[in-house]
Amino acid sequence: MRENWKSRKGFIFAAAGAAIGLGNLWRFPFQAYKNGGGAFLLPYFVALITCAIPLMIMEYAYGRKIRGGSVKAFSKLKKKLEIVGWIQVMVPIIVMTYYSAIIAVAVVFMVFSLGHAFGIINWLSDPGPIMGMVTGSAKNALDLGAGMSIYILIAVIVVWICNWLIVKKGISGGIEKMSMIFTPLLMVLMIIFMINAVRLKGSAIGLEALFKPDFSKILVPSIWVSAYAQVFFSTTLAVGVMIAYGSYLDDKADIVNSAIITVLANSSFDLIAGVLVFSTLGYLVSNMGVEFTSFGTGAGVAFIAFPIAISTMSTNVVIQGLLGFLFFFCLFIAGLSSSISMLESFTTAALDKFDVSREKLVSIISIVGFCGSACFASYAGFNYILDIVDAYVGNIVIAGLGLAEVILVSYIYGTSKLREEANAYSDFKVGIWWDYLLKYFTPLLLGAVVITNLFNIITELLKKDTAGVVSNIVFGWGTVIIMIIASFVFYKKKWTAKAQEVAPTLNDKKVNL
């Protein structure tokens, strides 16, 4: 018998934890900053209503109806479409390999923060040298002999052990229990840090830079594409996570409200992160005379700017260290809640098709995943290859899968049937407008995102030197090709799971979904 979530609250916390991740901390603030500030919020909220919420409802409803992950979900539409499901769950596996390396840096900095508290190492006021020591340096992505970060490698082991311990216990025994504790804790800690950041001298400068609207940009098409891309990617849609989570919902679960709460929780974290990041940067701009982008628009914000800001919160070394530990613990929680959802996405899909125990399967995936993460613990891997793989998987594969998913489910299964099932036990009902969004509006917007991203990657590739071109072909397109080949191999294997020895399609009259 298929496992179910024990409570709605547990499911919401798990789904919100899956959507909330390290990327929220810097991606939304800098997307808003460069795309019109407060004016960016209009297309952002429109994207939430017209894309994120409808797709979240669709994935929850279809996952519950199928009672399976992405592989089973697409094979039910049409047998040959099973390969789409495998490509979809390959995404979180690939993402986990480098995402775990980023979480590992948070683990390392947690330890260093405790060292700071006990007077062993004084680094929070000047984190640059420590960051350099941990991540090292390389000439380019092809400089594979540059070295390996022993700090990241050891911390990656810790991250994968945590993933393994939680996911092998299943939905109610592992993921739900962990999410009930860590997701609300993460929100509380981030709100505390946000409130403190707003109180810093110069925070108003940062908030003005983030939220002051530049309405001259609001009619620029690229701004709307950026807003949809931000909402789409930050909610963990189209990678099998929410379909898998939806498959464990009770038959009488309120799908519509659950979807709305999940999306709004994620967007709330986006806004909290925006206020936190730019209040902190405003302080640094005011007191150090640097630019808002001096610390980069990625991990540099969390690993360089925040330690400096934390060091100013108190002159007491012990308090500084403990605050640093709490902050990097927040990052660790955010990363871990997302990584376990990625691991569960593939696990659910594989358990649907193959006769294997959850513990054995999770153990195998964790070992393979750790080997992949070890590659990103190299100096070339962390500093160069990570960004290349992330760009190709995020901008080409995920966007393409989102487009394919909404078209295939909407036109083969049918939005009207799915709407009836989603509304059946929901307090808030979606109307026929939901059908039109999924059939016409959302595919057009996602199509624009896919085309824009593909165009940008190709044009950027043409500007690179020889090493850059080779790196992008090997690690970018190479990763995409490996994902497709691996998906085809799994697709060709026979269904051996006892509950699903044959994967009949929706057109098979013997199937009772």
Side-chain angles (χ1 to χ4, degrees):
M1 185 175 178
R2 193 173 188 83
E3 192 177 7
N4 282 340
W5 299 98
K6 287 186 176 180
S7 68
R8 180 183 178 186
K9 182 167 65 174
F11 165 68
I12 292 295
F13 281 145
I20 296 170
L22 291 177
N24 296 71
L25 194 64
W26 59 77
R27 198 178 193 279
F28 170 79
F30 282 98
Q31 284 294 312
Y33 174 66
K34 72 179 183 180
N35 287 309
F40 178 77
L41 295 179
L42 175 60
Y44 173 78
F45 286 123
V46 171
L48 286 178
I49 297 169
T50 61
C51 181
I53 291 176
L55 278 172
M56 193 70 72
I57 294 171
M58 183 187 80
E59 292 204 1
Y60 283 170
Y62 192 57
R64 184 182 68 175
K65 186 64 179 178
I66 296 299
R67 289 294 176 198
S70 288
V71 170
K72 186 177 178 180
F74 281 97
S75 69
K76 289 286 189 179
L77 291 175
K78 191 174 183 180
K79 182 64 181 77
K80 291 183 178 179
L81 292 177
E82 180 190 323
I83 193 170
V84 177
W86 281 114
I87 296 174
Q88 201 171 65
V89 296
M90 283 294 163
V91 171
I93 292 298
I94 295 296
V95 171
M96 278 192 76
T97 59
Y98 64 81
Y99 196 67
S100 296
I102 300 175
I103 303 171
V105 176
V107 174
V108 173
F109 278 26
M110 282 168 59
V111 175
F112 282 160
S113 294
L114 289 179
H116 185 98
F118 288 104
I120 300 172
I121 179 174
N122 191 326
W123 71 283
L124 286 171
S125 61
D126 185 18
I130 292 295
M131 186 67 176
M133 181 182 73
V134 173
T135 62
S137 62
K139 295 177 182 177
N140 52 51
L142 302 177
D143 188 13
L144 301 179
M148 178 78 71
S149 172
I150 190 66
Y151 299 98
I152 296 178
L153 188 62
I154 292 173
V156 158
I157 295 174
V158 175
V159 173
W160 275 102
I161 288 176
C162 291
N163 288 327
W164 173 73
L165 287 172
I166 294 168
V167 179
K168 79 182 182 70
K169 292 182 178 294
I171 290 295
S172 59
I175 295 175
E176 185 170 358
K177 283 184 178 179
M178 192 283 285
S179 300
M180 290 278 282
I181 298 171
F182 286 147
T183 301
L185 177 61
L186 171 63
M187 295 296 289
V188 170
L189 288 174
M190 290 302 290
I191 289 172
I192 291 173
F193 275 105
M194 178 193 70
I195 293 172
N196 185 78
V198 171
R199 294 171 59 206
L200 292 173
K201 179 183 177 182
S203 63
I205 297 173
L207 294 177
E208 182 180 6
L210 177 62
F211 291 118
K212 184 178 180 180
D214 180 0
F215 290 112
S216 66
K217 294 184 177 181
I218 202 165
L219 295 179
V220 178
S222 62
I223 305 302
W224 288 81
V225 170
S226 295
Y228 274 82
Q230 167 62 27
V231 166
F232 187 75
F233 297 134
S234 71
T235 46
T236 324
L237 291 163
V239 294
V241 172
M242 296 308 177
I243 290 179
Y245 277 18
S247 72
Y248 298 107
L249 281 170
D250 182 81
D251 288 335
K252 295 184 178 181
D254 186 331
I255 284 179
V256 176
N257 280 352
S258 296
I260 293 173
I261 292 170
T262 303
V263 172
L264 293 183
N266 180 69
S267 61
S268 297
F269 192 86
D270 272 347
L271 293 171
I272 290 171
V275 173
L276 171 58
V277 168
F278 270 81
S279 293
T280 302
L281 292 179
Y283 164 80
L284 296 173
V285 167
S286 174
N287 289 271
M288 296 176 63
V290 297
E291 297 294 327
F292 283 104
T293 55
S294 296
F295 305 100
T297 57
V301 174
F303 298 126
I304 299 295
F306 280 108
I308 296 173
I310 288 169
S311 70
T312 67
M313 294 180 186
S314 172
T315 56
N316 187 295
V317 173
V318 175
I319 294 176
Q320 287 178 351
L322 293 178
L323 286 173
F325 176 84
L326 278 175
F327 177 76
F328 290 110
F329 181 62
C330 282
L331 296 191
F332 173 66
I333 294 173
L336 189 63
S337 62
S338 293
S339 67
I340 61 172
S341 71
M342 296 179 204
L343 182 52
E344 181 59 36
S345 175
F346 187 91
T347 299
T348 297
L351 288 175
D352 285 337
K353 183 166 184 176
F354 303 118
D355 184 15
V356 59
S357 70
R358 170 179 280 270
E359 186 166 343
K360 180 180 179 181
L361 177 63
V362 173
S363 298
I364 293 171
I365 299 171
S366 297
I367 292 171
V368 173
F370 166 72
C371 292
S373 295
C375 297
F376 292 101
S378 68
Y379 295 149
F382 190 87
N383 291 290
Y384 292 99
I385 301 174
L386 189 156
D387 289 334
I388 294 172
V389 175
D390 181 60
Y392 279 79
V393 173
N395 295 335
I396 295 178
V397 182
I398 296 179
L401 286 170
L403 179 61
E405 177 184 280
V406 72
I407 291 174
L408 292 174
V409 174
S410 296
Y411 285 94
I412 296 179
Y413 184 77
T415 54
S416 58
K417 286 192 295 182
L418 212 53
R419 174 163 47 85
E420 290 176 9
E421 290 150 10
N423 285 338
Y425 296 97
S426 296
D427 294 331
F428 178 77
K429 316 289 184 183
V430 291
I432 196 170
W433 56 267
W434 185 73
D435 300 49
Y436 287 108
L437 282 177
L438 290 179
K439 281 188 172 182
Y440 308 110
F441 191 78
T442 303
L444 285 174
L445 265 299
L446 289 180
V449 171
V450 172
I451 294 170
T452 301
N453 288 340
L454 191 59
F455 176 79
N456 289 339
I457 281 183
I458 293 174
T459 53
E460 287 297 319
L461 186 62
L462 296 175
K463 299 176 184 177
K464 296 183 182 296
D465 57 18
T466 303
V469 172
V470 173
S471 300
N472 275 261
I473 292 174
V474 173
F475 301 114
W477 291 110
T479 298
V480 174
I481 292 171
I482 289 172
M483 291 171 65
I484 294 172
I485 292 174
S487 299
F488 185 76
V489 170
F490 281 114
Y491 161 68
K492 296 300 289 183
K493 290 185 176 294
K494 293 183 179 180
W495 289 72
T496 58
K498 295 176 182 178
Q500 184 73 15
E501 293 182 359
V502 180
T505 67
L506 292 166
N507 295 323
D508 191 328
K509 294 181 180 179
K510 295 181 180 180
V511 178
N512 181 18
L513 293 179

